[in-house]
Amino acid sequence: WSGEMVRLYEPLELANAIGTENLLAHGFPGHLTYDPPERELAFAYGLCHFKTPAGLKPLTVFARITDNLEPIARQMAATRLSGLALVRIEWAT
């Protein structure tokens, strides 16, 4: 429904750390998004629209990957054919 975007398979509780702010309805490469009601973390590896079968659903964009995006985007795009993949996300120091 969304385009070039993948999401975590399991719900993730980040609502206290990441509020509902910086809402966007369209994603750009590198955007990390969070949907507090669904507890869903997602990664845009290309252009996408944040939507469900019911229509657009704005999401909180809380971070953007700017370095080494291309190899990460290739791995994320590959999950369309290969299925689930293990991903580790860490805050930059």
Side-chain angles (χ1 to χ4, degrees):
W1 294 100
S2 297
E4 297 178 317
M5 184 175 193
V6 295
R7 65 179 179 87
L8 255 57
Y9 183 69
E10 296 288 330
L12 184 64
E13 187 58 55
L14 293 177
N16 292 333
I18 301 170
T20 304
E21 58 183 51
N22 196 24
L23 294 173
L24 293 178
H26 304 285
F28 296 93
H31 277 172
L32 287 170
T33 67
Y34 188 67
D35 181 0
E38 301 296 328
R39 299 180 321 178
E40 183 176 276
L41 183 73
F43 169 72
Y45 60 87
L47 298 177
C48 57
H49 306 285
F50 305 147
K51 62 183 181 177
T52 67
L56 287 177
K57 180 175 186 169
L59 301 176
T60 297
V61 176
F62 70 92
R64 185 170 183 202
I65 297 171
T66 57
D67 295 336
N68 300 316
L69 178 59
E70 284 192 34
I72 297 167
R74 278 195 304 274
Q75 288 180 320
M76 294 295 132
T79 65
R80 292 176 66 190
L81 299 175
S82 64
L84 296 177
L86 182 63
V87 175
R88 187 169 106 188
I89 300 172
E90 296 179 349
W91 293 105
T93 57

